Amino acid sequence: MKLIFQLAWRFRSSKQQNGYISFISASSTVGIALGCFVLILLLSVMNGFEKELKERLLSIIPHGELYAVGSDGISDWQDEIKSLQVDPRIESIQPYTKATGMLQKGKKMKAIELVGIDTKYAEHDGMLSSVPASQWLAFSGDAQGVMLGAGAMQKLGIVLGDKVKLLLPQLSNDLSIRAPKTLWLNVVGVVNIGGELDNHIGYMHLPLASQTLGVTYGVQGLRFRYHDPFLAPIITREIGYGFAQEVYMSDWTRTQGHLYQDIQLVRVVVYITLILVIGVACFNIVSTLVMAVNEKQSEIAMLKTMGATERTIILIFMLQGLINGIIGTLIGVICGVLMALNLSTVARGFEQLTGVQFLSGDIYFIDFLPSALKWHEVYITALIALTLTLLATVYPARKAAKVNPATVLGH
């Protein structure tokens, strides 16, 4: 085996080798390295987005919701919460009533979605984690208090201590439009979630919201947080089908699921595209070895006359091509891993240097480029590159093994 390796390395680094063959050989190595580097880097970015989606967005929005059919609300909701809290999959349950209308400050108006919450059940609400303790205390003590998203306050020019008017649409019994119901609220807190949610979210007290909307039982619905948010569709439907009354069911995959689906779609596209890039680089190895076989026919013939078997010739040329793949894969994997581990820092530095921001916190739920390296994906990437390289060497190696010494040395 040592002799086979020495011959493969000698053939690969021969000074008499055609310059064009050397160029094709180097380009195949660079292509494999580039494919591995980009694949590892982009997969790490996709993993980073998925991680941030779970740790940031899914830590603040409810994972599942049940809300009553009709305006009466959820009957016996306290007993329902007690019975559901024994489920080990459920982290917390929060009663709510949602009021959707127009918020007015002076001549400015904006659509808003105010969620009525009970302060006793709100300790697990991730959206409220950004609210300072002083503002939460002010909200708890003011029955007319409201906490608004930072984006909504900025667009309406609202500051803490202002009074705002909430306009709620009403329908008469004959479904004709009536004058909107108005409600004055005191702005006592700011909710700073990040992203688009800041522009249309707010909190008010549950009793006030239910009373204003005429919810008979005091609660329009229940919001759930699960220990595993990716099981939300299954658990929510299971709870909903077994609920004591008719309810509508919803979960985060219906409202924010497009983000997760986009991540998975891009991951698949990245996999397919960059594996094809690695494949194209590996086919350059076919060209390199075929030309090398044609150029080294006399050396192959002499090896055969000295007793080298077809198996030995095949192994020599397969190993020669595999060396290119190993070098390219090694370079690509090392560079990809180093860049993936430091991508956020590098991106921040590039943003500061050029003044160009990759992600805006006003649009996305994060304002930086995330990265999360998964080692099993690194191993899979390296294995795919080496496998494609090995397959690319089979045809040229078999062609080298079929060289006829009598024909070559007879000329």
Side-chain angles (χ1 to χ4, degrees), residues 199-220:
N199 296 324
H200 56 77
I201 195 71
Y203 287 91
M204 61 189 298
H205 285 277
L206 179 60
L208 179 60
S210 298
Q211 180 184 354
T212 305
L213 296 177
V215 179
T216 306
Y217 298 116
V219 169
Q220 188 183 63

Side-chain angles (χ1 to χ4, degrees), residues 213-329:
L213 296 177
V215 179
T216 306
Y217 298 116
V219 169
Q220 188 183 63
L222 301 177
R223 311 174 89 175
F224 299 87
R225 288 186 57 76
Y226 307 121
H227 292 289
D228 186 353
F230 293 101
L231 294 178
I234 299 173
I235 302 175
T236 303
R237 279 152 184 75
E238 182 181 321
I239 296 172
Y241 291 141
F243 210 69
Q245 68 182 81
E246 290 185 347
V247 290
Y248 293 111
M249 297 173 285
S250 181
D251 60 81
W252 71 268
T253 61
R254 297 173 63 87
T255 58
Q256 306 290 334
H258 62 280
L259 292 173
Y260 182 70
Q261 292 166 0
D262 290 347
I263 291 172
Q264 300 308 313
L265 177 61
V266 172
R267 185 195 299 275
V268 172
V269 172
V270 165
Y271 249 120
I272 295 174
T273 304
L274 292 177
I275 286 174
L276 290 176
V277 170
I278 295 173
V280 170
C282 290
F283 278 114
N284 282 339
I285 293 177
V286 178
S287 304
T288 302
L289 291 181
V290 167
M291 289 186 287
V293 168
N294 292 333
E295 189 179 61
K296 302 293 184 181
Q297 284 193 13
S298 57
E299 286 87 342
I300 296 170
M302 285 187 286
L303 286 173
K304 281 194 168 186
T305 59
M306 295 172 63
T309 63
E310 288 190 358
R311 179 177 177 274
T312 301
I313 300 299
I314 289 175
L315 289 176
I316 289 172
F317 281 90
M318 286 185 70
L319 187 57
Q320 180 182 344
L322 195 58
I323 289 173
N324 285 349
I326 291 173
I327 293 174
T329 301

Side-chain angles (χ1 to χ4, degrees), residues 49-339:
F49 273 108
E50 187 174 326
K51 179 184 176 183
E52 296 299 328
L53 173 68
K54 184 175 181 180
E55 293 184 356
R56 289 177 179 260
L57 186 62
L58 295 184
S59 67
I60 58 178
I61 65 172
H63 300 159
E65 293 185 7
L66 300 180
Y67 50 100
V69 177
S71 60
D72 290 340
I74 302 289
S75 61
D76 300 324
W77 57 272
Q78 295 95 337
D79 295 334
E80 293 289 353
I81 289 179
K82 288 179 181 179
S83 63
L84 290 171
Q85 281 177 335
V86 300
D87 191 328
R89 300 171 298 178
I90 299 175
E91 181 181 339
S92 65
I93 308 173
Q94 182 181 347
Y96 77 96
T97 294
K98 191 178 294 183
T100 303
M102 299 295 293
L103 198 65
Q104 182 178 2
K105 171 69 187 313
K107 295 182 179 180
K108 297 181 179 179
M109 299 183 71
K110 189 184 186 308
I112 196 74
E113 183 180 82
L114 293 181
V115 180
I117 59 172
D118 189 327
T119 55
K120 294 184 297 184
Y121 292 90
E123 59 183 39
H124 293 286
D125 194 322
M127 288 190 182
L128 301 175
S129 60
S130 64
V131 178
S134 59
Q135 295 180 14
W136 176 253
L137 185 62
F139 173 76
S140 301
D142 187 350
Q144 297 290 125
V146 64
M147 296 185 296
L148 299 175
M153 292 183 63
Q154 182 179 3
K155 290 186 177 181
L156 292 177
I158 299 172
V159 296
L160 291 178
D162 284 349
K163 284 184 175 291
V164 293
K165 183 189 290 187
L166 177 65
L167 306 175
L168 298 172
Q170 293 189 95
L171 290 176
S172 62
N173 294 332
D174 60 356
L175 299 183
S176 61
I177 299 178
R178 299 166 56 189
K181 184 179 292 187
T182 61
L183 184 65
W184 286 93
L185 300 170
N186 305 318
V187 180
V188 296
V190 183
V191 181
N192 197 345
I193 304 165
E196 188 63 24
L197 286 173
D198 275 348
N199 296 324
H200 56 77
I201 195 71
Y203 287 91
M204 61 189 298
H205 285 277
L206 179 60
L208 179 60
S210 298
Q211 180 184 354
T212 305
L213 296 177
V215 179
T216 306
Y217 298 116
V219 169
Q220 188 183 63
L222 301 177
R223 311 174 89 175
F224 299 87
R225 288 186 57 76
Y226 307 121
H227 292 289
D228 186 353
F230 293 101
L231 294 178
I234 299 173
I235 302 175
T236 303
R237 279 152 184 75
E238 182 181 321
I239 296 172
Y241 291 141
F243 210 69
Q245 68 182 81
E246 290 185 347
V247 290
Y248 293 111
M249 297 173 285
S250 181
D251 60 81
W252 71 268
T253 61
R254 297 173 63 87
T255 58
Q256 306 290 334
H258 62 280
L259 292 173
Y260 182 70
Q261 292 166 0
D262 290 347
I263 291 172
Q264 300 308 313
L265 177 61
V266 172
R267 185 195 299 275
V268 172
V269 172
V270 165
Y271 249 120
I272 295 174
T273 304
L274 292 177
I275 286 174
L276 290 176
V277 170
I278 295 173
V280 170
C282 290
F283 278 114
N284 282 339
I285 293 177
V286 178
S287 304
T288 302
L289 291 181
V290 167
M291 289 186 287
V293 168
N294 292 333
E295 189 179 61
K296 302 293 184 181
Q297 284 193 13
S298 57
E299 286 87 342
I300 296 170
M302 285 187 286
L303 286 173
K304 281 194 168 186
T305 59
M306 295 172 63
T309 63
E310 288 190 358
R311 179 177 177 274
T312 301
I313 300 299
I314 289 175
L315 289 176
I316 289 172
F317 281 90
M318 286 185 70
L319 187 57
Q320 180 182 344
L322 195 58
I323 289 173
N324 285 349
I326 291 173
I327 293 174
T329 301
L330 193 60
I331 293 173
V333 166
I334 291 174
C335 293
V337 168
L338 291 176
M339 180 60 77

Side-chain angles (χ1 to χ4, degrees), residues 17-43:
Q17 186 167 276
N18 186 291
Y20 182 68
I21 298 177
S22 299
F23 173 76
I24 297 296
S25 176
S27 67
S28 66
T29 303
V30 171
I32 294 172
L34 186 62
C36 291
F37 168 76
V38 177
L39 182 55
I40 291 172
L41 184 60
L42 292 185
L43 288 178

